[in-house]
Amino acid sequence: MVEAFHGAGIQRAALFKPVGAEEIRDYPLSNEDRLDSHYFVPWERRRWLNSDMRLRGTAECRALYLDLIFISYDQSPVGTLPIDTDILARLVMVDPVHMRALCSLPYGPLHRWERCRCDGGEIRLMHPMVLRTLTEAIARKEDNRAKNEAANAAKRRQRLRITISGYAADLAKNDAALLFMDEWLVSQGCEYRSSAWVERALAAWSDHMLALTMRARSDRP
């Protein structure tokens, strides 16, 4: 994260330094990527305490710099900021003229923020450190969702196994049959697995096995 705060000593905000179109990165997150339940931001305090931004920036610039980072988490796309300094000034409750003066400093409020291309071609500002924390958070969110889905599927299949055992105890021990019927019920949009639905799943499994048997016979020389 050191690189998130260290720079060449020159303000890199696109508002003050012309950037060629070829230098504008595509922002990897879209307007659909949200972290609505993400109420905290992981912060590597030691790197921040020893960063150039903290050691060389003025107290006011440091405060606004942190404000803008936290504000970006509620923007769309998440982790970006508008490129208009007047809007940024309103967001941090600072006079626009004063904001522009601060941003012209080597370690101003927009230190290491750079232009990026978002959905629809909109040009906004992004920060590599903010983007990194967001991609890690989204990855954790996807991992948690996958784990929850796997746990829910296991519980759902266990309930189905118990129900099937009431019809055919041996069939309830057949993992392949259980998986087939569970997936069939899901594909049919079945939300409540009543006896009627379970019996349909049993019939679907029977039809499936019959089709496999007929295919095997037809493949014989």
Side-chain angles (χ1 to χ4, degrees):
M1 186 171 166
V2 175
E3 69 276 10
F5 303 108
H6 289 201
I10 302 298
Q11 177 63 38
R12 296 177 58 188
L15 298 171
F16 307 104
K17 178 182 177 181
V19 178
E22 69 281 2
E23 296 181 58
I24 300 179
R25 297 170 53 186
D26 288 331
Y27 194 64
L29 304 180
S30 72
N31 293 329
E32 303 301 320
D33 293 309
R34 305 302 304 167
L35 287 172
D36 296 328
S37 61
H38 202 65
Y39 298 113
F40 69 94
V41 176
W43 195 259
E44 298 181 52
R45 62 179 182 82
R46 288 183 178 175
R47 291 187 175 183
W48 162 246
L49 292 175
N50 293 285
S51 68
D52 281 355
M53 180 62 205
R54 180 179 176 276
L55 296 175
R56 300 186 182 186
T58 65
E60 183 179 18
C61 285
R62 295 199 307 268
L64 295 177
Y65 173 82
L66 292 175
D67 252 10
L68 288 171
I69 285 178
F70 297 140
I71 287 170
S72 73
Y73 283 85
D74 288 327
Q75 294 287 301
S76 183
V78 61
T80 66
L81 290 172
I83 202 166
D84 190 326
T85 46
D86 287 350
I87 296 177
L88 293 174
R90 287 198 294 272
L91 288 173
V92 293
M93 296 175 285
V94 172
D95 176 74
V97 175
H98 184 53
M99 181 67 172
R100 284 192 288 272
L102 292 176
C103 288
S104 67
L105 297 174
Y107 293 90
L110 288 176
H111 181 63
R112 289 215 69 192
W113 285 88
E114 59 189 65
R115 290 198 294 180
C116 63
R117 185 178 293 101
C118 302
D119 284 356
E122 181 186 9
I123 303 300
R124 292 177 65 84
L125 298 176
M126 60 159 282
H127 195 293
M129 180 274 293
V130 174
L131 178 59
R132 194 192 74 182
T133 61
L134 284 170
T135 52
E136 290 175 352
I138 290 174
R140 287 193 299 271
K141 177 183 176 182
E142 293 300 323
D143 287 344
N144 289 335
R145 182 166 62 183
K147 290 177 182 177
N148 289 336
E149 288 178 353
N152 290 336
K155 292 178 182 178
R156 186 180 67 237
R157 288 166 188 161
Q158 180 59 26
R159 290 193 297 269
L160 180 61
R161 188 187 299 275
I162 294 171
T163 303
I164 295 298
S165 66
Y167 290 89
D170 289 340
L171 186 60
K173 300 175 184 178
N174 187 329
D175 290 337
L178 192 74
L179 180 60
F180 175 90
M181 287 185 281
D182 177 67
E183 291 179 347
W184 184 87
L185 288 165
V186 171
S187 70
Q188 297 299 308
C190 173
E191 296 182 359
Y192 175 68
R193 298 186 170 186
S194 63
S195 297
W197 270 110
V198 172
E199 289 168 7
R200 291 176 195 169
L202 286 165
W205 168 252
S206 179
D207 291 343
H208 174 67
M209 291 304 297
L210 178 60
L212 290 179
T213 301
M214 297 299 293
R215 187 185 308 163
R217 289 178 179 175
S218 65
D219 290 341
R220 291 177 184 173

